[in-house]
Structures are given as structure tokens and as C-alpha cells.
Amino acid sequence: MQNDHSLNLLKARPTVVIDRVSMQYQVASTHAETATTSNRLSRLRRGASTITVHALNEMSLVVSHGESVGIIGRNGSGKSTLTRLISGRTRPTSGSIFASDTPIMLGVNAALLPDLAGDQNVILGCLAMGMDRRTIAEKFDDIVEVSGLGDSIYLPMKSYSSGMASRLRFAIATSVDPEILLIDEALNTGDAQFRERSRSRISQLRDHAGTVFLVSHSLGTITEMCTRVIWLDGGDLLMDGDVETVTSTYSRFTSFLSNGDHASAQELRYKSRESLIATQVLERTTGRRSA
């Protein structure tokens, strides 16, 4: 039986389809059941062994035009891994990801040239996204307005705080009305005016049939800016639904953990995962057969 959310997805044209995707990493580990100084030194000489880390367990999602999807979860839950997969920066270990357009990734670690002034970085960033110089000139004032930098736009980037740099990244990335935009924690910095400007800009993107993915530890930011939320934990997709239901459940989960009630937290986690209606990707959803 399909819920209302699933039915709405069938009516809208998908922008991102995640079909049975999983992600694993091989990493070095010096862990051993028994460890003495001598065998630690021996492992140092021959090198560490490797273990498999399951960053994301198999999941499927369909995201459509007009949706703003919040991605929440504890550190190490797989949030950033998922956004890297959607952006195409990382290939999944298994499964396929389909996108209607090239996703634009905006994150606090996005590369900028520190020795150049902010206005010069605006030009370079916009050129890299395919704008011509006339369009950049037309959009320049709006970009500065959204960033809230004022005259600081003419100062070297290396003089900016991390919050100032994040705001400029956001303003540049959203200046092209991208069909798919991924934001990783960039909106957690800035004053109330910037939060209002960024919320207004995301609303404009949705109005123009865009899709936004927002990773944030701030449930307030998620509630203000998203129309749908997914909850990841330990690489598992636990919930996918409306903002109020998912955020309130996640708040209960973190409250249990904060109070040391791990049994109740694990029970809530189990019930959430068991209640999840798994998405099944059909050939007609993607327009071609999944890998």
C-alpha cells in the first residue's frame, strides 16, 4: 500500500533517483583483540591491516522537482557520503544514481581562491558554472546582496571568516538557478538576516521547479527550509517523510541518547526502520533500466 508521499512522487517528474545504492570503504586499522607494545611495533613495521566500513547500506529514493529535502543524523551516519554520491564526486559501491541535470554541490569545504578578492571569486565561480560575462554583470549585485558581505566583497578571501566565505559560496552557487543543489552545513553560519535571505532564495529555487538537498545538524534550519526529511543513522535510512514527523522522532532519539537511555533509543531506531516504506525504483521512473 502506498502512502500519500509515494503517490505525490509518482505525479511529479523526478530529478534524482537513487536505485539500490550502497557505499563501502576500505580503511587501514591497527585494531587487534590483544595488543602489546611488541606486536604494535610489529604491525607498525609491516603496515596496518584493512577493514571494510559500510558508510551507506543499500537504499533507494526518488526526489522530484519542487522538493527541498533535509538530511539529518548523527556524525558518521552517512549524510556527507550521500551528498557526495548524488553530486557525482564519488561512485557508489553498488547501485545507480540518475539525475536530470548536473547537481551543484555547495559546502563549507568548497574550493575558493584565498588570495583573490570576493568579487573576483564571484566572477570565476560564475564562469565555472557556465555564465557569460554579461550575465555575471547582471547578477553581481544580487549575489553580493544575498551574501550580505557589503564592501567586504572587495577584500581578499583569506581575510574572511568561515561564515563570510560560506555565505559567499551559497550566493554564487544559487545565482544560476540550479535544478539540483546540494548544501552541506553552509547555512548554519550567519546572522538572522542571512538566514532569512537564504530561506527566501531556496523558496525561489523551489518555485522555479528546482530541487534542494540540505544537510544540517540544526533542526530549526531543516524545519524552516525543507518540505521533506530523511533520517540516516549508521549508514541506514531510518525515516523518509514529512518534516514534523521525522524531526520530532529524531529529537526523541537524540534526547534518549543524551539521557543515557540507550535501550529506548535503539528501540525507537528499530521501530523507525521497520516502519519505513521502502522505495522501489521502476524502469519508467528513471526513463531507462537501472544498473
Side-chain angles (χ1 to χ4, degrees), residues 231-243:
W231 170 22
L232 301 177
D233 191 74
D236 292 324
L237 175 61
L238 300 186
M239 293 188 75
D240 174 11
D242 68 90
V243 176

Side-chain angles (χ1 to χ4, degrees), residues 40-80:
R40 285 197 181 98
L41 290 174
S42 176
R43 289 201 303 275
L44 180 62
R45 288 192 295 270
R46 67 173 183 265
S49 59
T50 61
I51 62 171
T52 300
V53 174
H54 296 270
L56 277 180
N57 297 318
E58 186 175 298
M59 68 176 66
S60 295
L61 292 170
V62 177
V63 181
S64 301
H65 281 279
E67 289 196 284
S68 180
V69 182
I71 305 175
I72 61 175
R74 296 182 290 175
N75 290 333
S77 62
K79 303 186 301 297
S80 293

Side-chain angles (χ1 to χ4, degrees), residues 162-184:
S162 60
M164 293 167 69
S166 295
R167 298 201 304 270
L168 184 57
R169 291 186 188 100
F170 175 84
I172 294 171
T174 58
S175 64
V176 292
D177 291 323
E179 185 169 31
I180 304 168
L181 175 66
L182 300 105
I183 306 171
D184 194 346

Side-chain angles (χ1 to χ4, degrees), residues 119-194:
D119 62 325
Q120 294 172 309
N121 274 285
V122 169
I123 295 171
L124 290 177
C126 290
L127 286 172
M129 292 188 295
M131 285 190 207
D132 56 39
R133 289 187 176 273
R134 178 177 178 179
T135 304
I136 296 172
E138 292 173 349
K139 290 179 174 286
F140 182 83
D141 289 342
D142 287 337
I143 293 172
V144 177
E145 174 65 23
V146 171
S147 72
L149 291 176
D151 290 340
S152 295
I153 195 69
Y154 302 108
L155 298 178
M157 286 290 301
K158 61 186 177 183
S159 69
Y160 288 8
S161 67
S162 60
M164 293 167 69
S166 295
R167 298 201 304 270
L168 184 57
R169 291 186 188 100
F170 175 84
I172 294 171
T174 58
S175 64
V176 292
D177 291 323
E179 185 169 31
I180 304 168
L181 175 66
L182 300 105
I183 306 171
D184 194 346
E185 296 292 354
L187 301 183
N188 288 351
T189 56
D191 56 20
Q193 287 184 332
F194 172 69

Side-chain angles (χ1 to χ4, degrees), residues 188-222:
N188 288 351
T189 56
D191 56 20
Q193 287 184 332
F194 172 69
R195 289 194 294 271
E196 179 59 35
R197 287 192 297 270
S198 58
R199 181 168 59 248
S200 174
R201 185 69 185 112
I202 288 180
S203 295
Q204 291 174 15
L205 290 175
R206 291 202 308 265
D207 292 342
H208 288 84
T211 299
V212 178
F213 291 88
L214 172 60
V215 176
S216 181
H217 287 287
S218 169
L219 294 186
T221 300
I222 294 290

